[in-house]
Amino acid sequence: MPRIWKFGDDVDTDQILPGRYAPYMTSEEELARYAFIEHRPEFSQLIQEGDIIVAGENFGCGSSREYAPRALKKCGVAAIVAQSFARIFYRNALNLGIPLFEADIAGQVEDGTEVELDVEGGVLRVGEHKFQLPPPPEFVRQTWATGGIVNYFRQHGHFPS
Amino acid sequence: MAQTLAERIISHAAGRDLHADDMTVVPVSMAMSIDSIAPNVIKILTEDLGADFVFDPQRVALFVDHVAPASNISTADAQVAIRRFVREQSIENFFDVGRGICHQLMIEEGLAQPGEIAMGSDSHSTLYGAIGCFGTGMGATDIALAFATGRTWLRVPRTIKVQLQGALPEWVMAKDLALKLIGDLGADAATYRAVEFHGAEDLSLASRMSLCSMTTELGAKAGMVVPDELTRSLYEVPEWCYPDEDAHYIREIKFDLSALEPQIACPHSVDHVLPISDLDPVKVDQVFIGTCTNGRLEDLRIAARILGGRQIASGVRTLIVPASHRVLEGAIGDGTMAALLGAEATLGTPGCGPCIGRHMGVLGRGEVCLSTANRNFQGRMGSPEAKIYLASPAVAAATALRGRITDPREEQWR
Ligand code: SF4
């Protein structure tokens, strides 16, 4: 069963993936290993396919490095629910096809609890609790549906509208 | 309907009237990437998108600045691949090791122009707003798509207007203004938004670049100075490249420059800002003067006025990294560099230097650095147990002399 990884406010991309561990400095193959390497070293060892990140405000602030959300995707993160996202992180994650939901639920869930997410319906179940997540705009929905913007572009030959 | 500067520029590119929150796909004038991201951009372009050629080699720029010269085999190999790509694609706007920081060169080389949309695979692409260009940072996939199609998708941002008044006091710089704004408003105050500066007459081009680069730390999509006399003296500004007087702003802020004092961003966030007079004494191990935010001639000159003829405190490593080769030449030409080196500062290759903790001044456990950069996130420059304080070059120079964070107004230097 997937679990929640809980984070606070203003999680910056240097926490998600420090610049020193970029594929440029190391290698693409190692990328997943370095997710939260300094901030939460157990993350990359214990994360399981389908786990979800729940965070506070301004998640992913800082650098434009797409390898930060790419590392999370490679680790198996199935979705991120945060009160708000930094702009470039949001774009990057959307482009990579990682579902992001803007919802303020961090105060109501515990780290490590089991969770069930229905991405299409936007329903998150934590024990008895059911959270209805805000539906994504059409542009975003179309991008998710094809698994990211590159796939969308290859299939349609233009940007989503 | 009346438009902000961001609405104007995006409408012009899209060829139709757009307003805040509209989604659009627009042609971009210039798309750029850097050594640490370009290998991924090239992979997405050629393998994932299956494009053989960039859309228009004239509208693509590549820079080797983040780890320059290469520090290990991985970075060296990546740079070899970038040079090969540049040759194969006949890309002329290529700037190799030592030429300088991407954002500085985008301005110096005229690759960003007023009224244009320029996008970079680096968050501080907001810097081009200094000349009224809609500069914005994006990730590798967006840049690869722009390389392939010459286009990108945008949501037209809402705009925050900042009306500046008065002139900066001596030893107080645009960096202090930027830090004060970030401290007051918070690091996410302008997320998904544009910031539009009015009344910047007292700020030089270099200062405007500093200010606009820092709007990224407010979360902004773009940060622009409305073109004025200075802009027009340097560029051809299209007659439409101005906001309407009755444009709609989601927030309007007035700011009196004459009342400003030097500001310090304390570890580990850029919005953890204190006026220098409220700071408890802080001893430093390293001072770094450079980056796209504060590595220009104006910055080195003010540092040289303080350091010239004096001696840096023992035990303080003072690293000077000019933002570009041209800045370095200027600093050699006018004696600035001699003054800095005479005080026993150390000179690094023009480029990003230790800003991102990859080479040329990585911090060890427990070390403290006063930096003129734009980010002080934990671990940014090396050990997560190191501390980074951000300030202006004037504060940095005074700090290098005393070995502790020092108000440059404490003394009449010269
Ligand atoms: S100087 Fe620092 S902030 Fe500017 S582009 Fe280089 S790494 Fe980024």
Side-chain angles (χ1 to χ4, degrees):
Chain A
M1 184 95 159
R3 288 173 187 277
I4 287 176
W5 289 81
K6 200 168 127 177
F7 290 85
D9 292 336
D10 297 312
V11 173
D12 59 66
T13 50
D14 281 78
Q15 288 173 38
I16 301 172
L17 210 116
R20 287 182 306 291
Y21 297 91
Y24 183 41
M25 304 297 289
T26 54
S27 82
E28 183 69 29
E29 290 67 46
E30 293 167 73
L31 183 59
R33 261 178 51 201
Y34 299 132
F36 291 111
I37 179 151
E38 286 163 356
H39 188 66
R40 220 169 152 177
E42 76 284 9
F43 181 88
S44 70
Q45 275 124 55
L46 301 180
I47 183 129
Q48 306 218 333
E49 188 78 33
D51 283 2
I52 284 171
I53 289 176
V54 174
E57 288 178 343
N58 206 20
F59 188 86
C61 59
S63 136
S64 67
R65 58 189 72 154
E66 191 171 275
Y67 53 83
R70 201 164 70 238
L72 299 180
K73 188 177 178 182
K74 285 193 165 189
C75 283
V77 170
I80 307 172
V81 183
Q83 190 178 343
S84 64
F85 291 93
R87 183 187 73 85
I88 307 179
F89 185 91
Y90 186 90
R91 265 190 101 101
N92 287 340
L94 170 63
N95 286 342
L96 294 172
I98 306 171
L100 302 185
F101 294 95
E102 276 194 346
D104 181 12
I105 64 166
Q108 301 166 67
V109 300
E110 295 298 324
D111 189 58
T113 35
E114 296 190 335
V115 63
E116 235 179 301
L117 173 70
D118 162 16
V119 170
E120 246 162 63
V123 178
L124 187 82
R125 275 177 210 283
V126 185
E128 299 295 285
H129 261 74
K130 186 177 134 184
F131 297 98
Q132 182 65 52
L133 303 171
E138 188 52 24
F139 179 93
V140 171
R141 206 192 52 74
Q142 289 180 31
T143 310
W144 287 356
T146 44
I149 202 152
V150 167
N151 285 348
Y152 187 96
F153 205 89
R154 290 198 70 144
Q155 280 176 29
H156 298 87
H158 57 79
F159 289 91
S161 51
Chain B
M1 219 168 106
Q3 290 183 311
T4 63
L5 185 53
E7 289 170 331
R8 264 285 149 80
I9 295 176
I10 298 172
S11 295
H12 192 264
R16 64 194 172 100
D17 249 15
L18 293 166
H19 291 92
D21 297 338
D22 288 340
M23 289 283 297
T24 184
V25 175
V26 284
V28 292
S29 302
M30 191 60 68
M32 73 84 169
S33 189
I34 54 176
D35 51 336
S36 51
I37 305 293
N40 190 227
V41 172
I42 296 168
K43 179 199 163 275
I44 298 167
L45 177 79
T46 55
E47 294 175 25
D48 302 350
L49 286 166
D52 292 329
F53 294 101
V54 297
F55 172 77
D56 176 357
Q58 302 294 329
R59 292 208 271 143
V60 166
L62 286 158
F63 303 86
V64 179
D65 59 349
H66 276 59
V67 183
S71 65
N72 62 13
I73 296 171
S74 173
T75 52
D77 283 347
Q79 293 178 14
V80 168
I82 294 169
R83 292 182 193 109
R84 189 186 320 122
F85 178 77
V86 162
R87 275 195 308 275
E88 285 167 5
Q89 301 279 333
S90 310
I91 293 167
E92 285 166 22
N93 302 318
F94 173 58
F95 303 89
D96 210 331
V97 173
R99 292 297 300 278
I101 303 170
C102 54
H103 306 307
Q104 175 70 15
L105 293 169
M106 286 285 284
I107 299 291
E108 275 182 10
E109 299 290 328
L111 301 177
Q113 293 287 327
E116 291 185 349
I117 297 176
M119 56 191 269
S121 72
D122 187 279
S123 55
H124 294 99
S125 304
T126 52
L127 179 146
Y128 326 140
I131 60 164
C133 172
F134 188 94
T136 193
M138 295 193 190
T141 299
D142 279 319
I143 299 294
L145 279 163
F147 275 18
T149 67
R151 304 167 86 78
T152 194
W153 63 270
L154 282 175
R155 184 197 297 274
V156 182
R158 302 178 189 186
T159 297
I160 299 174
K161 175 177 175 178
V162 180
Q163 177 72 52
L164 303 175
Q165 287 158 335
L168 289 168
E170 196 173 23
W171 308 112
V172 180
M173 304 182 71
K175 177 64 161 292
D176 299 305
L177 161 62
L179 290 176
K180 174 82 175 135
L181 279 174
I182 297 163
D184 285 358
L185 303 179
D188 60 352
T191 300
Y192 306 123
R193 292 167 184 173
V195 182
E196 201 179 277
F197 293 100
H198 293 239
E201 286 73 23
D202 185 53
L203 302 183
S204 66
L205 177 62
S207 296
R208 295 173 186 201
M209 289 160 77
S210 225
L211 178 62
C212 291
S213 73
M214 292 294 292
T215 59
T216 296
E217 307 314 320
L218 284 166
K221 180 179 284 191
M224 292 180 285
V225 172
V226 173
D228 59 7
E229 270 313 308
L230 174 66
T231 327
R232 287 188 290 274
S233 72
L234 301 167
Y235 294 90
E236 254 180 60
V237 180
E239 34 69 38
W240 51 263
C241 188
Y242 299 91
D244 288 313
E245 251 175 53
D246 52 346
H248 176 69
Y249 298 99
I250 47 159
R251 188 166 176 184
E252 298 193 32
I253 296 161
K254 285 207 166 65
F255 199 97
D256 182 8
L257 296 177
S258 62
L260 193 62
E261 68 166 297
Q263 306 286 315
I264 308 286
C266 303
H268 298 288
S269 70
V270 190
D271 59 0
H272 187 194
V273 175
L274 289 177
I276 197 162
S277 46
D278 288 1
L279 192 75
D280 292 331
V282 180
K283 278 191 62 188
V284 304
D285 302 293
Q286 178 168 302
V287 170
F288 168 39
I289 301 178
T291 78
C292 56
T293 293
N294 278 129
R296 280 171 281 280
L297 195 51
E298 163 179 302
D299 303 314
L300 302 188
R301 277 187 183 147
I302 200 164
R305 278 172 63 202
I306 293 172
L307 290 173
R310 297 187 174 83
Q311 217 55 128
I312 284 165
S314 74
V316 180
R317 311 180 298 271
T318 301
L319 313 177
I320 310 280
V321 182
S324 71
H325 187 80
R326 203 178 289 180
V327 169
L328 174 58
E329 277 180 338
I332 290 171
D334 71 0
T336 296
M337 196 46 72
L340 296 172
L341 298 183
E344 292 192 350
T346 300
L347 175 64
T349 308
C352 298
C355 178
I356 194 173
R358 286 171 172 167
H359 69 339
M360 283 165 63
V362 176
L363 299 175
R365 282 189 197 98
E367 287 203 303
V368 176
C369 179
L370 185 290
S371 164
T372 65
N374 41 50
R375 282 191 183 135
N376 59 349
F377 301 150
Q378 189 168 14
R380 167 94 176 165
M381 292 181 73
S383 167
E385 289 159 52
K387 288 190 175 136
I388 308 167
Y389 291 82
L390 304 178
S392 75
V395 172
T399 298
L401 280 185
R402 297 275 161 78
R404 55 173 167 77
I405 296 182
T406 300
D407 188 339
R409 300 170 307 171
E410 266 178 26
E411 210 169 300
Q412 259 324 314
W413 305 96
R414 71 167 79 160

